[in-house]
Amino acid sequence: MDDSWVLKEMGRGKVELKRIENPTNRQVTFSKRRNGLLKKAFELSILCDAEVALLIFSSSGKVYQFASHDMDRTVAKYRREVGLPDSSNPQFRTREFWRSEIDELKRSINTSEARLKHLSGEDILALGMRDLKQLERQLKIGVERVRSRKISSTNSYI
């Protein structure tokens, strides 16, 4: 069954669960439902003595949160429960930093190796016209540098 047209019973009638196309209506609905969700999270924490942490990111990237206890502590507890490393641990942060550095260096090496292959005439079939013209310019500049160096070397021996 296609979930985009399922009708749900709400307080005032049936609502079709699919993305609201009108930006104004979507923002109003987001705001109202966000506030309702935050209220329910608060009520759950009080009524049931539950540890609740709720994060909401809007489509524009703005964050809304509720935590019945310390958010960082609750998130750390969650990470332990599901077997994820503790991100507040300095070793984890250092390891993540170096992992991202390694990934960036690998990308840089791959890019450099590809450019070197292109400069030597390899793997150029996949290049578009723009890339080929840029490669041609780079090669022309390189040839001119070699000729210039060759001429200056020849003149220094005379």
Side-chain angles (χ1 to χ4, degrees):
M1 176 184 276
D2 183 6
D3 290 336
S4 66
W5 58 273
V6 173
L7 297 179
K8 293 286 184 180
E9 286 284 339
M10 297 304 292
R12 298 184 183 258
K14 293 184 179 192
V15 175
E16 188 176 359
L17 286 183
K18 68 174 187 170
R19 183 177 187 268
I20 300 169
E21 295 303 323
N22 182 307
T24 305
N25 292 349
R26 186 170 53 243
Q27 180 57 42
V28 168
T29 301
F30 173 80
S31 183
K32 287 181 178 180
R33 290 192 173 221
R34 178 200 65 219
N35 291 338
L37 189 56
L38 290 167
K39 182 179 176 187
K40 290 289 185 189
F42 171 74
E43 291 171 353
L44 181 64
S45 71
I46 298 295
L47 293 172
C48 302
D49 194 28
E51 185 172 348
V52 178
L54 173 65
L55 292 171
I56 304 170
F57 293 93
S58 71
S59 58
S60 65
K62 190 170 180 185
V63 66
Y64 302 89
Q65 70 179 30
F66 167 78
S68 60
H69 296 74
D70 178 60
M71 177 68 83
D72 290 334
R73 191 188 86 197
T74 304
V75 169
K77 185 176 182 180
Y78 166 77
R79 293 179 73 85
R80 276 192 309 276
E81 284 294 318
V82 297
L84 295 172
D86 182 8
S87 62
S88 65
N89 180 340
Q91 283 184 327
F92 173 79
R93 288 184 179 168
T94 302
R95 197 175 358 206
E96 286 301 306
F97 168 79
W98 287 114
R99 187 172 291 133
S100 69
E101 284 291 308
I102 290 168
D103 290 343
E104 182 61 35
L105 288 171
K106 283 179 180 177
R107 281 191 292 277
S108 178
I109 289 169
N110 289 338
T111 301
S112 296
E113 286 176 342
R115 287 187 68 216
L116 185 59
K117 283 182 178 182
H118 295 154
L119 288 169
S120 65
E122 297 177 39
D123 294 339
I124 60 173
L125 292 176
L127 296 178
M129 186 57 69
R130 185 177 176 183
D131 294 327
L132 287 170
K133 288 202 177 276
Q134 182 178 358
L135 179 60
E136 182 181 31
R137 280 191 301 274
Q138 289 172 334
L139 289 170
K140 281 181 182 179
I141 291 169
V143 167
E144 289 302 315
R145 287 183 182 158
V146 169
R147 284 187 181 139
S148 173
R149 176 81 173 131
K150 182 179 174 187
I151 289 170
S152 68
S153 296
T154 306
N155 290 341
S156 66
Y157 289 117
I158 296 178

Short mmCIF file of all heavy atoms in Angstrom, two decimals, residues 94-126:
data_model
loop_
_atom_site.label_atom_id
_atom_site.label_comp_id
_atom_site.label_asym_id
_atom_site.label_seq_id
_atom_site.Cartn_x
_atom_site.Cartn_y
_atom_site.Cartn_z
N THR A 94 39.50 12.62 18.78
CA THR A 94 40.81 12.59 18.12
C THR A 94 40.80 11.56 16.99
O THR A 94 41.25 11.84 15.88
CB THR A 94 41.92 12.26 19.14
OG1 THR A 94 41.89 13.23 20.17
CG2 THR A 94 43.28 12.24 18.49
N ARG A 95 40.25 10.39 17.29
CA ARG A 95 40.18 9.34 16.28
C ARG A 95 39.32 9.78 15.09
O ARG A 95 39.70 9.58 13.94
CB ARG A 95 39.59 8.07 16.92
CG ARG A 95 39.81 6.83 16.15
CD ARG A 95 39.31 5.62 16.89
NE ARG A 95 38.78 6.05 18.19
CZ ARG A 95 38.69 5.32 19.27
NH1 ARG A 95 39.05 4.11 19.25
NH2 ARG A 95 38.20 5.78 20.39
N GLU A 96 38.18 10.42 15.36
CA GLU A 96 37.32 10.90 14.29
C GLU A 96 38.02 11.99 13.48
O GLU A 96 37.90 12.02 12.25
CB GLU A 96 35.99 11.44 14.86
CG GLU A 96 35.05 10.37 15.32
CD GLU A 96 34.68 9.40 14.22
OE1 GLU A 96 34.20 9.84 13.15
OE2 GLU A 96 34.87 8.18 14.39
N PHE A 97 38.76 12.87 14.16
CA PHE A 97 39.50 13.91 13.46
C PHE A 97 40.49 13.29 12.49
O PHE A 97 40.55 13.66 11.32
CB PHE A 97 40.22 14.82 14.47
CG PHE A 97 41.21 15.74 13.82
CD1 PHE A 97 40.79 16.89 13.18
CD2 PHE A 97 42.57 15.45 13.84
CE1 PHE A 97 41.69 17.75 12.57
CE2 PHE A 97 43.49 16.29 13.24
CZ PHE A 97 43.04 17.44 12.60
N TRP A 98 41.28 12.32 12.99
CA TRP A 98 42.31 11.71 12.14
C TRP A 98 41.68 10.87 11.04
O TRP A 98 42.20 10.81 9.92
CB TRP A 98 43.30 10.91 12.97
CG TRP A 98 44.21 11.80 13.74
CD1 TRP A 98 44.29 11.94 15.10
CD2 TRP A 98 45.16 12.75 13.21
NE1 TRP A 98 45.22 12.90 15.43
CE2 TRP A 98 45.77 13.41 14.29
CE3 TRP A 98 45.53 13.11 11.93
CZ2 TRP A 98 46.73 14.39 14.13
CZ3 TRP A 98 46.49 14.10 11.76
CH2 TRP A 98 47.08 14.72 12.85
N ARG A 99 40.55 10.25 11.33
CA ARG A 99 39.85 9.48 10.29
C ARG A 99 39.41 10.42 9.16
O ARG A 99 39.56 10.11 7.99
CB ARG A 99 38.65 8.75 10.89
CG ARG A 99 38.00 7.80 9.90
CD ARG A 99 36.93 6.94 10.54
NE ARG A 99 37.57 5.98 11.44
CZ ARG A 99 37.17 5.74 12.68
NH1 ARG A 99 36.12 6.38 13.17
NH2 ARG A 99 37.77 4.86 13.43
N SER A 100 38.88 11.59 9.53
CA SER A 100 38.45 12.54 8.49
C SER A 100 39.66 13.10 7.74
O SER A 100 39.59 13.32 6.53
CB SER A 100 37.60 13.66 9.07
OG SER A 100 38.37 14.51 9.88
N GLU A 101 40.78 13.32 8.45
CA GLU A 101 42.00 13.78 7.79
C GLU A 101 42.50 12.73 6.79
O GLU A 101 42.89 13.08 5.67
CB GLU A 101 43.10 14.05 8.82
CG GLU A 101 42.92 15.33 9.61
CD GLU A 101 43.12 16.56 8.75
OE1 GLU A 101 44.15 16.68 8.07
OE2 GLU A 101 42.22 17.42 8.76
N ILE A 102 42.48 11.49 7.20
CA ILE A 102 42.92 10.39 6.31
C ILE A 102 42.02 10.32 5.08
O ILE A 102 42.50 10.19 3.96
CB ILE A 102 42.94 9.05 7.08
CG1 ILE A 102 44.09 9.04 8.09
CG2 ILE A 102 43.03 7.87 6.12
CD1 ILE A 102 44.03 7.89 9.08
N ASP A 103 40.70 10.42 5.29
CA ASP A 103 39.77 10.38 4.17
C ASP A 103 40.03 11.54 3.20
O ASP A 103 40.01 11.36 1.98
CB ASP A 103 38.31 10.43 4.66
CG ASP A 103 37.90 9.15 5.36
OD1 ASP A 103 38.59 8.12 5.19
OD2 ASP A 103 36.88 9.18 6.08
N GLU A 104 40.29 12.73 3.76
CA GLU A 104 40.57 13.89 2.92
C GLU A 104 41.87 13.70 2.13
O GLU A 104 41.94 14.02 0.94
CB GLU A 104 40.65 15.16 3.78
CG GLU A 104 40.88 16.43 3.00
CD GLU A 104 39.77 16.74 2.01
OE1 GLU A 104 38.59 16.44 2.30
OE2 GLU A 104 40.09 17.26 0.92
N LEU A 105 42.89 13.15 2.78
CA LEU A 105 44.16 12.90 2.10
C LEU A 105 44.00 11.84 1.00
O LEU A 105 44.59 11.96 -0.07
CB LEU A 105 45.23 12.49 3.10
CG LEU A 105 45.75 13.62 4.00
CD1 LEU A 105 46.64 13.06 5.10
CD2 LEU A 105 46.50 14.66 3.18
N LYS A 106 43.20 10.82 1.27
CA LYS A 106 42.94 9.80 0.26
C LYS A 106 42.27 10.41 -0.97
O LYS A 106 42.63 10.10 -2.11
CB LYS A 106 42.06 8.68 0.82
CG LYS A 106 42.80 7.72 1.72
CD LYS A 106 41.85 6.65 2.26
CE LYS A 106 42.57 5.67 3.16
NZ LYS A 106 41.64 4.68 3.74
N ARG A 107 41.28 11.30 -0.73
CA ARG A 107 40.61 11.97 -1.85
C ARG A 107 41.61 12.82 -2.63
O ARG A 107 41.60 12.84 -3.86
CB ARG A 107 39.45 12.83 -1.34
CG ARG A 107 38.19 12.05 -1.01
CD ARG A 107 37.00 12.96 -0.77
NE ARG A 107 37.11 13.75 0.43
CZ ARG A 107 36.80 13.33 1.65
NH1 ARG A 107 36.33 12.11 1.82
NH2 ARG A 107 36.93 14.11 2.70
N SER A 108 42.47 13.52 -1.90
CA SER A 108 43.48 14.37 -2.54
C SER A 108 44.45 13.53 -3.38
O SER A 108 44.80 13.91 -4.50
CB SER A 108 44.23 15.16 -1.47
OG SER A 108 45.23 15.94 -2.04
N ILE A 109 44.88 12.40 -2.84
CA ILE A 109 45.78 11.51 -3.57
C ILE A 109 45.10 10.99 -4.83
O ILE A 109 45.71 10.99 -5.92
CB ILE A 109 46.25 10.33 -2.67
CG1 ILE A 109 47.21 10.84 -1.61
CG2 ILE A 109 46.87 9.21 -3.50
CD1 ILE A 109 47.51 9.83 -0.51
N ASN A 110 43.85 10.56 -4.71
CA ASN A 110 43.12 10.04 -5.88
C ASN A 110 42.98 11.11 -6.96
O ASN A 110 43.15 10.83 -8.15
CB ASN A 110 41.75 9.51 -5.46
CG ASN A 110 41.84 8.23 -4.67
OD1 ASN A 110 42.83 7.51 -4.74
ND2 ASN A 110 40.81 7.94 -3.89
N THR A 111 42.69 12.34 -6.53
CA THR A 111 42.57 13.44 -7.49
C THR A 111 43.90 13.71 -8.17
O THR A 111 43.97 13.88 -9.40
CB THR A 111 42.07 14.72 -6.78
OG1 THR A 111 40.81 14.44 -6.17
CG2 THR A 111 41.92 15.88 -7.74
N SER A 112 44.98 13.74 -7.39
CA SER A 112 46.31 13.99 -7.95
C SER A 112 46.74 12.88 -8.91
O SER A 112 47.30 13.15 -9.97
CB SER A 112 47.35 14.13 -6.83
OG SER A 112 47.07 15.24 -6.04
N GLU A 113 46.46 11.63 -8.54
CA GLU A 113 46.80 10.51 -9.42
C GLU A 113 46.02 10.59 -10.72
O GLU A 113 46.57 10.32 -11.80
CB GLU A 113 46.55 9.18 -8.71
CG GLU A 113 47.58 8.87 -7.64
CD GLU A 113 47.28 7.58 -6.88
OE1 GLU A 113 46.12 7.09 -6.92
OE2 GLU A 113 48.20 7.07 -6.23
N ALA A 114 44.75 10.96 -10.64
CA ALA A 114 43.93 11.08 -11.85
C ALA A 114 44.47 12.19 -12.74
O ALA A 114 44.57 12.02 -13.96
CB ALA A 114 42.47 11.36 -11.47
N ARG A 115 44.85 13.33 -12.14
CA ARG A 115 45.41 14.44 -12.93
C ARG A 115 46.72 14.02 -13.59
O ARG A 115 46.97 14.36 -14.75
CB ARG A 115 45.64 15.66 -12.04
CG ARG A 115 44.35 16.36 -11.66
CD ARG A 115 44.59 17.66 -10.92
NE ARG A 115 45.19 18.62 -11.82
CZ ARG A 115 46.10 19.51 -11.46
NH1 ARG A 115 46.52 19.57 -10.21
NH2 ARG A 115 46.59 20.36 -12.33
N LEU A 116 47.55 13.29 -12.85
CA LEU A 116 48.82 12.83 -13.41
C LEU A 116 48.59 11.90 -14.60
O LEU A 116 49.25 12.00 -15.63
CB LEU A 116 49.64 12.13 -12.32
CG LEU A 116 51.04 11.67 -12.69
CD1 LEU A 116 51.88 12.87 -13.14
CD2 LEU A 116 51.70 10.99 -11.51
N LYS A 117 47.62 10.99 -14.46
CA LYS A 117 47.28 10.09 -15.57
C LYS A 117 46.80 10.89 -16.77
O LYS A 117 47.17 10.60 -17.91
CB LYS A 117 46.20 9.09 -15.14
CG LYS A 117 46.71 7.97 -14.29
CD LYS A 117 45.59 7.00 -13.96
CE LYS A 117 46.12 5.84 -13.13
NZ LYS A 117 45.06 4.87 -12.84
N HIS A 118 45.96 11.91 -16.52
CA HIS A 118 45.45 12.72 -17.62
C HIS A 118 46.59 13.46 -18.31
O HIS A 118 46.63 13.53 -19.54
CB HIS A 118 44.41 13.73 -17.11
CG HIS A 118 43.18 13.09 -16.58
ND1 HIS A 118 42.39 13.69 -15.63
CD2 HIS A 118 42.60 11.88 -16.82
CE1 HIS A 118 41.38 12.90 -15.34
NE2 HIS A 118 41.48 11.79 -16.04
N LEU A 119 47.53 13.98 -17.52
CA LEU A 119 48.66 14.71 -18.10
C LEU A 119 49.55 13.80 -18.95
O LEU A 119 50.21 14.25 -19.88
CB LEU A 119 49.49 15.40 -17.01
CG LEU A 119 48.83 16.63 -16.36
CD1 LEU A 119 49.61 17.07 -15.13
CD2 LEU A 119 48.71 17.76 -17.37
N SER A 120 49.57 12.51 -18.60
CA SER A 120 50.38 11.57 -19.38
C SER A 120 49.56 10.91 -20.50
O SER A 120 50.03 10.00 -21.16
CB SER A 120 51.00 10.51 -18.47
OG SER A 120 49.99 9.72 -17.89
N GLY A 121 48.32 11.37 -20.70
CA GLY A 121 47.50 10.87 -21.80
C GLY A 121 46.65 9.66 -21.47
O GLY A 121 46.02 9.10 -22.35
N GLU A 122 46.62 9.24 -20.22
CA GLU A 122 45.83 8.07 -19.82
C GLU A 122 44.45 8.51 -19.32
O GLU A 122 44.29 9.61 -18.80
CB GLU A 122 46.55 7.30 -18.70
CG GLU A 122 47.90 6.73 -19.09
CD GLU A 122 48.57 6.07 -17.90
OE1 GLU A 122 47.88 5.41 -17.10
OE2 GLU A 122 49.80 6.22 -17.78
N ASP A 123 43.49 7.61 -19.43
CA ASP A 123 42.14 7.81 -18.89
C ASP A 123 41.50 9.13 -19.31
O ASP A 123 40.82 9.77 -18.52
CB ASP A 123 42.14 7.71 -17.35
CG ASP A 123 42.50 6.33 -16.85
OD1 ASP A 123 42.36 5.36 -17.62
OD2 ASP A 123 42.91 6.22 -15.68
N ILE A 124 41.70 9.55 -20.55
CA ILE A 124 41.12 10.82 -20.98
C ILE A 124 39.78 10.64 -21.70
O ILE A 124 39.11 11.63 -21.97
CB ILE A 124 42.09 11.64 -21.86
CG1 ILE A 124 42.48 10.86 -23.11
CG2 ILE A 124 43.30 12.06 -21.07
CD1 ILE A 124 43.30 11.68 -24.09
N LEU A 125 39.38 9.40 -21.94
CA LEU A 125 38.12 9.15 -22.63
C LEU A 125 36.92 9.62 -21.79
O LEU A 125 35.90 10.02 -22.34
CB LEU A 125 37.96 7.68 -22.98
CG LEU A 125 38.93 7.14 -24.05
CD1 LEU A 125 38.73 5.65 -24.23
CD2 LEU A 125 38.73 7.88 -25.36
N ALA A 126 37.06 9.60 -20.49
CA ALA A 126 35.95 9.98 -19.62
C ALA A 126 35.84 11.48 -19.44
O ALA A 126 34.86 11.97 -18.89
CB ALA A 126 36.12 9.31 -18.26
#
